Amino acid sequence: MIELSRLYGVYRSNRPSIDRSLITSLVERWRPETHTFHFRTGEATITLQDVEVLYVLPVNGDPVLGDESIRTIGYWQNICQRLLGLIPRPQDFNRSSLKVTAHMLEQLQLPDFTTQEMIDQMAGCYMFWMIAGMMIADTSDNYLKLMYLPMLEDINVVSSYSWGSATLACLSRFLCKASQSNRNEIVGFLPLLQFIWEPYSDDLIESLPDYCRIERDIWRVRDPIFCWDIIEVHLPDRVMRQFGLKQMIPTPFLFDATHFHHDRRGRPNTNWKLEHAQWLPFWNQRLQYVCDALVKREPL
């Protein structure tokens, strides 16, 4: 079930160890104006290629957006019972978030009398935890945002979302926030901060699932990327050497350095597809914005 959702790469990685000293050093070198790390040797960043090659997360697909409707605890209890196989107590909710309980992930093995519904619910627990607790984590500690749960209704639809771009958008947003002088914490999918700054080998690319190799043009799209209220920007034209290509002078993007101050707080009943309407056409026509360079980079 998790393989069908295309989230298996994250499931397999479990919770990778984090080098916090490295992350602190990288945050100090992050520039929100360019969405890149500035080093003495040049700029580097995390690209859609890194997300898909390292964790096999799909980057081509529908943006992870939805309607921020106010829903009752009873509604969330019903959907948790149907999709997760459990009914949380009222005290387990904190506004639109659900407290992680041991019951969600405690069954390491399903019993012999397992039904397909039980398999779907156990897979739903893991997928919900991976999405809201790892890939798109926030600062709410052991609470998971319930807004992602209805997106798990149909396993075939789950795989149609661009979870890779949403994961990268979330991490970029928190990098921008953490780089401010008045912030001292960083969240998001932190394992992506431990990337290797060199082109991936042809053998490695060929070993990826078919859908990843087909999507390789998407890795170089210069485009906005979305995750619910978050809208960030993917700028591969600033780091063409990471793709084994010659670096040209990049052009600026329209975002200013303060756009990341906008978030979900105080925005009930917001339809984020309408909120981001001016930027969505760029993503829907993303293949028109693929950065390319005919000249390979010179040997070091």
Side-chain angles (χ1 to χ4, degrees):
M1 293 295 294
I2 295 176
E3 286 180 340
L4 288 174
S5 72
R6 296 190 177 181
L7 302 178
Y8 183 70
V10 177
Y11 171 81
R12 182 182 58 188
S13 69
N14 201 357
R15 281 191 177 274
S17 59
I18 301 297
D19 187 337
R20 299 195 177 276
S21 297
L22 170 63
I23 291 174
T24 299
S25 299
L26 287 172
V27 169
E28 292 173 350
R29 290 160 176 79
W30 177 263
R31 297 304 307 167
E33 301 90 342
T34 60
H35 282 58
T36 56
F37 303 104
H38 283 224
F39 302 119
R40 291 182 179 181
T41 54
E43 294 180 70
T45 196
I46 307 153
T47 67
L48 292 174
Q49 182 187 42
D50 297 311
V51 179
E52 189 155 36
V53 172
L54 296 176
Y55 290 96
V56 204
L57 276 174
V59 297
N60 193 29
D62 297 326
V64 179
L65 297 172
D67 190 353
E68 194 81 22
S69 300
I70 297 177
R71 297 180 172 93
T72 64
I73 289 180
Y75 169 87
W76 289 121
Q77 286 177 319
N78 288 334
I79 198 171
C80 286
Q81 181 180 18
R82 188 172 73 256
L83 299 183
L84 307 181
L86 55 92
I87 304 177
R89 303 167 301 173
Q91 57 267 36
D92 292 330
F93 294 92
N94 181 13
R95 296 181 182 178
S96 59
S97 297
L98 174 66
K99 186 176 182 180
V100 179
T101 61
H103 178 66
M104 289 182 63
L105 301 173
E106 67 184 0
Q107 292 182 331
L108 300 180
Q109 285 187 324
L110 291 167
D112 293 337
F113 58 86
T114 299
T115 63
Q116 186 60 48
E117 182 182 29
M118 295 172 65
I119 294 173
D120 294 348
Q121 290 170 342
M122 179 55 62
C125 284
Y126 273 100
M127 289 188 287
F128 182 44
W129 172 69
M130 286 189 294
I131 292 169
M134 292 181 64
M135 296 157 46
I136 313 177
D138 60 15
T139 57
S140 59
D141 292 330
N142 59 340
Y143 281 87
L144 306 179
K145 290 180 178 178
L146 286 162
M147 61 193 186
Y148 303 115
L149 188 53
M151 304 180 81
L152 305 180
E153 288 269 12
D154 186 338
I155 191 67
N156 296 310
V157 175
V158 175
S159 63
S160 70
Y161 290 110
S162 176
W163 293 111
S165 67
T167 299
L168 182 56
C170 180
L171 179 56
S172 296
R173 169 59 56 90
F174 284 109
L175 275 168
C176 288
K177 288 187 174 183
S179 66
Q180 304 304 297
S181 59
N182 62 339
R183 297 298 182 103
N184 59 3
E185 60 182 349
I186 171 72
V187 293
F189 197 47
L190 300 184
L192 282 171
L193 289 173
Q194 300 172 153
F195 65 100
I196 299 175
W197 190 17
E198 63 181 19
Y200 296 106
S201 68
D202 293 338
D203 289 342
L204 177 59
I205 299 299
E206 290 302 318
S207 70
L208 296 173
D210 290 342
Y211 71 86
C212 294
R213 288 182 280 115
I214 292 172
E215 296 174 357
R216 63 176 65 189
D217 283 346
I218 307 296
W219 297 342
R220 301 194 313 278
V221 293
R222 187 177 187 270
D223 229 23
I225 51 179
F226 307 87
C227 181
W228 218 258
D229 57 302
I230 295 173
I231 175 171
E232 289 297 336
V233 59
H234 183 243
L235 297 174
D237 58 323
R238 304 193 69 93
V239 292
M240 294 302 283
R241 287 184 294 170
Q242 290 181 217
F243 298 94
L245 301 172
K246 184 177 180 179
Q247 180 63 53
M248 309 300 287
I249 298 175
T251 55
F253 201 80
L254 296 178
F255 283 144
D256 61 43
T258 62
H259 74 277
F260 55 84
H261 292 300
H262 307 290
D263 54 32
R264 296 172 57 239
R265 288 176 295 185
R267 304 292 301 277
N269 290 320
T270 300
N271 186 323
W272 294 106
K273 290 184 179 179
L274 296 178
E275 187 75 11
H276 301 318
Q278 63 174 319
W279 297 107
L280 278 173
F282 290 95
W283 178 257
N284 293 334
Q285 302 170 29
R286 50 195 172 276
L287 287 177
Q288 298 181 23
Y289 305 104
V290 176
C291 299
D292 208 349
L294 299 178
V295 182
K296 294 286 186 179
R297 69 174 183 178
E298 298 86 355
L300 297 178

